[in-house]
Each structure stands twice: as C-alpha cells, then as structure tokens.
Amino acid sequence: KPKTKTIVDEVKAQGRVVKNREEKISIVEGLKVDYVNVSIGSNIKVGDTLVELDVTDLEAKINEIKENISKDQKTLSRATEDYNRAIAAKKQSVQAALNEMNTAKHALDNYSNLSDEEKDPAMEESLYADYQSKKSMYDQAVKESNDTVDLDRTLQDTKDSLQIDEYNKELAKLQPLLDASGKIVSDKEGIVTSIFVESGGTTAEAIMSIADKNTGYKFVGQVEKSNRTLVKQGQSVSLNLGSAGTVENLTIEAISKNEESADLLDVTVLLPVGVGEIDDSGEIIISSKAKKYGTCVPIAALRQGDNNNYYILVVSEKETVLGEELIAKKIDVKVEKKDGEFAAISDGVIGRSEKVIVDSNKTVEDGDRVRLENEW
C-alpha cells in the first residue's frame, strides 16, 4: 500500500582514489644509471634507495669539471695579471711625465729668478717652450691613464667567456651524489607514479614522480551532468571506500568536466592524510535537502510504458460469472522524486488503501487475473 515517506535527494558518484599532489625528483642530466630499485606503484619510505648511479662515471664527470675549473681559473689569473700590468704601466708613464714636467718647471723658475742682465730672452723662451711641451705630455699621459675602457672590456670579455660559476654549481650537485656512493634516496613517504629512467640508461631532467603521502590523496567520482543542480562545491559528503570503510564529513573540492564523456562531471574530494590508497575504488554519497511525500510506492512497482511514461498496476476487484475476481489494473502516474527504494508519485492518483503490485511469479499486464500471495 502507498506510504508517506521523506525522500532525500541523493546522488552517488563512483570513482577511485588518485594522487593529490605529484612531485618530480630532479637530478643532473646525463648520469649513467646502474640500477632502478623501485617500480610504478611502489610504496616508498624516507631513506629508501630509489636509484643507484654508476660511481665510476660520476667520478669521471667530477674530475672533468675540476679540470675545467682549474683551466678557467688560470685563464682568469693571467688575464687579471695582464690587466694589472697594463694599469701599472699607465701609472708609471704618468709619473715619468710628471717628473719631466716638474724638472722643466724648476729650470724655468730658476732662470726666471736671474737678473735681467743675466737673462737671455732666447734661453728663457726655450725653457718656457720645453716646460709647455712637458706639461702637454703629462696631460696626455694622465688622459691615457684614465682611459681604461679597452683594458676593462678585454678583461670582462675574458670573464664572460669562462664558466667557473656554472662548473661550481654543477660540482655542488654532483659531489654529494658521489659522497653518497651514487645512491639517490627518498626524502619523503609516498607512492611511485612515474619512472623516467631505466637500469643501464642515463638520467633525464627528472628520474621519477612520487605522490607524497604526507599531503594525502583525493577521490574523483563521476556523476550524470543532469544532476548538476544537486552537486555544489563545498558541499559535505560521505565516501564508501573499500580499504577505509565509510568516511564522513568530506567536502567537495571541485566539480569539473569529465574528459571522456560530455554527459559526466568529475566530483573531487580531498582525503585526510593516511586514508585510502591510490586506485582504491569507492562511491561518494551526495545528499541534498529532504522532502516529505504523501504517496510513495516501492521502486519495483514502477513500470515504463509508451514514451517512457510511468505506470503502476494495482489490484482491483471485478465481478464475473464465476464470482468476484482480482485483476491487475493499469494506472498512469507521474514520478515526483525517487531514492534507492521508493518513488513519490503525484497525490490523488491512487488511494491510500490501494494494493500496488511490486512482484509476480509471471508477467502481469493490465486486465490479467491475479491472486494475492503476500502483502506488506
């Protein structure tokens, strides 16, 4: 018989646990690899050895870098010496010119202090000319001494051509690896999601990716796009997860388009740290507002007719020549709301005392004679 029930808008999203944040483990490129000690899906702990490098190859690369640093340092030292020597020569030229100018000035001053009877105008003019010449040479020497543009540029060009800083940076990356006997260990706990190297190969920019367990995982489930109004970002949901049971009070982090189907939406919830494992399957339960309906029948009572309209069969009494018989009577209904067990239909279509057929041992159609086996 029809019942009064409160039906909650409930949407279920089936999906699986995926990585939340993936971190790449980077290393110097071009290093030879002896062994890769993990595989995709491996659970790793802090201190686990991920990859073992070829120590001989590592030593050779470090020695080569040290030799390059030594060569560049010698080149820089020589260039600096040449620069300093050229600057010193300029200063010496200025000092020599200054000394000659001062000597000429002193000779001129001494001659100028003689009495007029002792002076020879031609000599005085010659001494004055010599002083002016020496002064001009001094001024020129000072000017040339101050002009170090060419020397500065030559030294800077030499510095720019060297790679000492780059070599030191590379050495700072390689030396710790050699100190660790070529073993690259994990500094976090997580699960390996991608591997970009192989035993016997060489390293690329990154050797592998790890989903960090300390950041937790996330669950991504799919819902029909038609249920978009029932799913909201920030909404509280529960999750039935095989490995962790039911997890309550989770929050919808994001709602996005599904890349594989335009009819589906991806619903993402973040999981607490330590809950779930990658690829665990489960189901999000999304419940919205509840409403009480006066006429509800079991889902099993609903049947679909033409144009996908719903109808139900009720038990009706009919007088025959053999007496009163029970028959199935078809009644068209409009479904207002459904949950996992019941469907609410429009009030007034059937009475509260009507008996609605939910199951039969044979196919039953409108007008068929029936016999009641069970009632609830």
Side-chain angles (χ1 to χ4, degrees):
K1 294 180 180 180
K3 297 181 179 181
T4 298
K5 284 189 66 66
T6 297
I7 295 180
V8 178
D9 287 333
E10 188 175 82
V11 178
K12 295 182 178 180
Q14 293 185 342
R16 63 189 185 92
V17 176
V18 299
K19 57 197 175 189
N20 180 21
R21 190 176 71 189
E22 186 179 59
E23 295 185 12
K24 288 185 177 181
I25 298 179
S26 299
I27 195 174
V28 178
E29 296 183 50
L31 301 179
K32 290 184 180 180
V33 176
D34 270 350
Y35 304 103
V36 177
N37 295 333
V38 296
S39 58
I40 294 177
S42 294
N43 284 293
I44 58 173
K45 298 179 180 179
V46 176
D48 285 352
T49 299
L50 307 176
V51 171
E52 295 182 41
L53 301 174
D54 185 323
V55 175
T56 302
D57 173 68
L58 197 56
E59 287 178 336
K61 281 184 166 52
I62 289 176
N63 289 335
E64 182 182 357
I65 291 173
K66 288 180 177 179
E67 289 177 5
N68 289 334
I69 292 175
S70 179
K71 289 178 182 178
D72 278 5
Q73 286 175 336
K74 288 180 180 178
T75 300
L76 178 59
S77 178
R78 289 169 182 169
T80 303
E81 287 177 4
D82 292 342
Y83 176 83
N84 292 335
R85 190 180 297 112
I87 294 296
K90 285 178 176 290
K91 292 181 178 180
Q92 289 174 0
S93 296
V94 171
Q95 187 61 48
L98 177 62
N99 292 338
E100 290 184 9
M101 182 188 72
N102 288 336
T103 300
K105 180 68 168 57
H106 183 67
L108 175 62
D109 290 343
N110 287 341
Y111 194 80
S112 297
N113 290 330
L114 296 175
S115 62
D116 291 340
E117 291 79 8
E118 295 176 305
K119 289 180 182 179
D120 180 358
M123 177 59 73
E124 186 173 17
E125 184 177 346
S126 175
L127 291 172
Y128 180 76
D130 183 57
Y131 165 69
Q132 289 297 326
S133 174
K134 296 297 192 294
K135 184 177 183 302
S136 178
M137 292 174 64
Y138 169 73
D139 291 339
Q140 181 63 30
V142 171
K143 182 179 179 181
E144 291 178 359
S145 179
N146 291 332
D147 182 9
T148 62
V149 173
D150 290 340
L151 292 175
D152 292 341
R153 184 179 292 122
T154 300
L155 180 60
Q156 189 60 49
D157 288 345
T158 300
K159 290 180 178 179
D160 292 342
S161 68
L162 305 178
Q163 296 179 286
I164 296 176
D165 289 343
E166 288 75 8
Y167 288 140
N168 281 322
K169 288 178 181 178
E170 192 170 1
L171 184 61
K173 294 178 182 178
L174 295 181
Q175 190 62 53
L177 295 176
L178 182 59
D179 295 340
S181 300
K183 294 181 179 180
I184 302 173
V185 301
S186 176
D187 61 354
K188 57 178 62 66
E189 182 180 357
I191 185 169
V192 178
T193 56
S194 301
I195 297 177
F196 309 115
V197 293
E198 60 183 4
S199 299
T202 57
T203 58
E205 181 182 357
I207 57 172
M208 64 185 63
S209 295
I210 294 177
D212 191 347
K213 278 192 173 183
N214 292 327
T215 63
Y217 300 138
K218 60 185 178 182
F219 183 92
V220 180
Q222 286 71 46
V223 298
E224 297 288 340
K225 197 173 183 179
S226 57
N227 289 321
R228 179 65 181 87
T229 56
L230 302 177
V231 184
K232 297 179 176 60
Q233 189 173 5
Q235 188 174 0
S236 180
V237 299
S238 60
L239 171 64
N240 291 330
L241 197 58
S243 63
T246 301
V247 186
E248 302 286 353
N249 299 320
L250 298 178
T251 301
I252 295 179
E253 181 75 13
I255 303 168
S256 58
K257 295 180 179 178
N258 182 273
E259 294 182 357
E260 298 180 358
S261 174
D263 296 327
L264 297 177
L265 294 173
D266 286 340
V267 179
T268 302
V269 297
L270 298 182
L271 301 180
V273 175
V275 173
E277 296 291 343
I278 288 181
D279 284 335
D280 278 354
S281 60
E283 185 177 61
I284 299 174
I285 310 299
I286 307 168
S287 299
S288 188
K289 56 187 178 182
K291 182 178 178 181
K292 183 179 286 187
Y293 294 89
T295 307
C296 297
V297 298
I299 291 289
L302 289 181
R303 301 162 187 258
Q304 280 192 295
D306 297 335
N307 299 320
N308 291 324
N309 292 326
Y310 287 107
Y311 70 91
I312 59 174
L313 294 176
V314 299
V315 177
S316 177
E317 296 180 353
K318 180 181 179 180
E319 290 291 337
T320 69
V321 293
L322 299 177
E324 189 176 87
E325 292 183 344
L326 300 179
I327 62 169
K329 180 181 178 182
K330 177 181 178 182
I331 298 178
D332 292 323
V333 296
K334 180 181 178 181
V335 177
E336 301 286 345
K337 185 68 64 176
K338 291 189 292 183
D339 61 14
E341 297 182 72
F342 284 86
I345 61 178
S346 300
D347 290 336
V349 177
I350 60 175
R352 299 301 296 274
S353 61
E354 294 277 13
K355 297 176 181 178
V356 181
I357 297 174
V358 296
D359 190 22
S360 60
N361 62 352
K362 294 181 181 180
T363 301
V364 179
E365 301 293 346
D366 183 34
D368 288 349
R369 187 163 60 89
V370 295
R371 180 168 59 86
L372 188 62
E373 286 188 336
N374 190 25
E375 181 179 353
W376 56 285

